[in-house]
């Protein structure tokens, strides 16, 4: 397992993994727009010889940040990769002076919610019909010291 920051050359492979992981994936264009926005930081990924296995990204504006993306290829789930990506993103946020980190997670995604709770996030409220398929999102927040 090898961790590194994204490059623009990674966007097509990340978009492919998005399609495998999510019912409403970010497109290559959406990924590129975020990546090039100037506020998208900590864009980290893990890879093996056969390609990218996990990735994450965070938008940072002032003292607040939002985890935009965290995904792990199915065969690499429950191996600690998502947790490592999350730790790295939170560390990047701390380095940049962030005081609070937010994220949204599908209410049906118990595995992700458990990971976020273990990392110190707390549920705030639900956003009704947040996702294109009508599913609600749980908004979570972590205060950084």
């Amino acid at each position: 397992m090898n961790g590194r920051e994204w490059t623009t050359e990674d966007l097509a492979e990340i978009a492919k993994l998005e399609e495998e992981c999510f019912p409403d994936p970010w497109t290559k264009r959406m990924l590129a727009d975020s990546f090039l926005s100037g506020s998208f930081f900590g864009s980290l990924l893990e890879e093996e010889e056969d390609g990218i296995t996990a990735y994450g990204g965070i938008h940072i504006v002032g003292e607040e940040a939002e985890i935009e993306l965290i995904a792990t290829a199915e065969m690499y789930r429950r191996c600690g990769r998502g947790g490592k990506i999350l730790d790295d993103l939170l560390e990047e946020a701390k380095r940049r002076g962030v005081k609070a980190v937010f994220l949204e997670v599908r209410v049906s995604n118990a595995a992700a919610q458990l990971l976020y709770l273990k990392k110190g996030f707390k549920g705030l409220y639900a956003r009704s019909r947040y996702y294109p398929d009508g599913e609600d999102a749980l908004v979570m927040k972590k205060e950084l010291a």
Side-chain angles (χ1 to χ4, degrees):
M1 179 170 65
N2 181 24
R4 64 174 176 83
E5 289 189 28
W6 299 11
T7 67
T8 54
E9 289 78 31
D10 296 317
L11 294 176
E13 192 173 351
I14 291 169
K16 183 176 178 233
L17 189 52
E18 270 283 301
E19 290 176 5
E20 294 171 15
C21 292
F22 300 108
D24 55 339
W26 284 35
T27 64
K28 183 179 174 185
R29 176 61 184 218
M30 292 165 70
L31 291 163
D33 287 348
S34 285
F35 184 74
L36 299 171
S37 72
S39 63
F40 192 76
F41 298 104
S43 43
L44 305 168
L45 58 84
E46 296 289 328
E47 60 187 344
E48 296 285 343
E49 291 174 8
D50 58 343
I52 296 170
T53 61
Y55 58 90
I58 187 169
H59 269 104
I60 299 173
V61 179
E63 294 184 347
E64 291 187 348
E66 183 170 356
I67 304 266
E68 295 286 346
L69 301 162
I70 292 185
T72 303
E74 188 170 357
M75 95 181 255
Y76 294 98
R77 291 183 187 152
R78 301 196 189 0
C79 297
R81 290 171 195 250
K84 181 178 181 335
I85 293 282
L86 182 56
D87 288 342
D88 290 345
L89 293 173
L90 293 171
E91 206 44 52
E92 181 69 26
K94 281 183 192 177
R95 275 194 298 272
R96 295 182 180 273
V98 169
K99 304 282 189 232
V101 178
F102 297 86
L103 60 83
E104 291 98 8
V105 60
R106 285 179 174 270
V107 295
S108 64
N109 193 343
Q113 290 176 36
L114 183 59
L115 170 65
Y116 301 141
L117 288 168
K118 284 181 181 178
K119 298 294 182 176
F121 282 83
K122 297 187 183 334
L124 295 178
Y125 55 88
R127 286 194 172 146
S128 182
R129 303 182 54 79
Y130 180 76
Y131 293 99
D133 64 2
E135 185 171 359
D136 295 349
L138 174 62
V139 177
M140 301 183 84
K141 178 182 180 182
K142 177 179 173 86
E143 298 285 344
L144 301 180

